[in-house]
Short mmCIF file of all heavy atoms in Angstrom, two decimals:
data_model
loop_
_atom_site.label_atom_id
_atom_site.label_comp_id
_atom_site.label_asym_id
_atom_site.label_seq_id
_atom_site.Cartn_x
_atom_site.Cartn_y
_atom_site.Cartn_z
N PHE O 5 79.85 95.27 101.78
CA PHE O 5 79.14 94.00 101.73
C PHE O 5 78.63 93.69 100.32
O PHE O 5 78.48 92.53 99.95
CB PHE O 5 77.97 93.99 102.72
CG PHE O 5 78.40 93.83 104.15
CD1 PHE O 5 78.43 94.92 105.00
CD2 PHE O 5 78.78 92.61 104.63
CE1 PHE O 5 78.83 94.79 106.32
CE2 PHE O 5 79.19 92.45 105.95
CZ PHE O 5 79.22 93.55 106.78
N LYS O 16 91.06 88.94 92.76
CA LYS O 16 90.98 88.45 94.14
C LYS O 16 91.49 89.48 95.14
O LYS O 16 90.98 89.59 96.23
CB LYS O 16 91.77 87.15 94.29
CG LYS O 16 91.29 86.04 93.40
CD LYS O 16 89.90 85.58 93.79
CE LYS O 16 89.48 84.41 92.92
NZ LYS O 16 88.10 84.08 93.06
N SER O 30 85.27 92.48 110.73
CA SER O 30 83.89 92.20 110.33
C SER O 30 83.75 91.76 108.88
O SER O 30 82.81 91.03 108.55
CB SER O 30 83.00 93.42 110.59
OG SER O 30 83.49 94.53 109.86
N GLY O 38 84.58 85.11 99.29
CA GLY O 38 84.58 85.59 97.92
C GLY O 38 85.89 85.40 97.17
O GLY O 38 85.89 85.15 95.98
N GLN O 42 93.96 82.87 100.74
CA GLN O 42 95.15 83.69 100.53
C GLN O 42 94.80 85.18 100.53
O GLN O 42 95.49 85.99 101.15
CB GLN O 42 95.84 83.32 99.23
CG GLN O 42 97.16 84.05 99.04
CD GLN O 42 97.89 83.58 97.80
OE1 GLN O 42 97.35 82.86 96.98
NE2 GLN O 42 99.12 84.02 97.66
N LEU O 54 96.48 99.19 108.71
CA LEU O 54 95.68 100.41 108.74
C LEU O 54 95.26 100.77 110.16
O LEU O 54 95.28 101.95 110.54
CB LEU O 54 94.45 100.26 107.84
CG LEU O 54 94.72 100.23 106.34
CD1 LEU O 54 93.43 99.95 105.59
CD2 LEU O 54 95.34 101.53 105.89
N LEU O 62 97.36 110.26 113.18
CA LEU O 62 96.56 111.29 113.83
C LEU O 62 97.39 112.15 114.78
O LEU O 62 97.23 113.37 114.81
CB LEU O 62 95.38 110.68 114.58
CG LEU O 62 94.16 110.35 113.75
CD1 LEU O 62 93.10 109.68 114.60
CD2 LEU O 62 93.61 111.57 113.09
#
Side-chain angles (χ1 to χ4, degrees):
F5 285 103
K16 300 293 183 191
S30 59
Q42 186 176 10
L54 290 175
L62 278 177

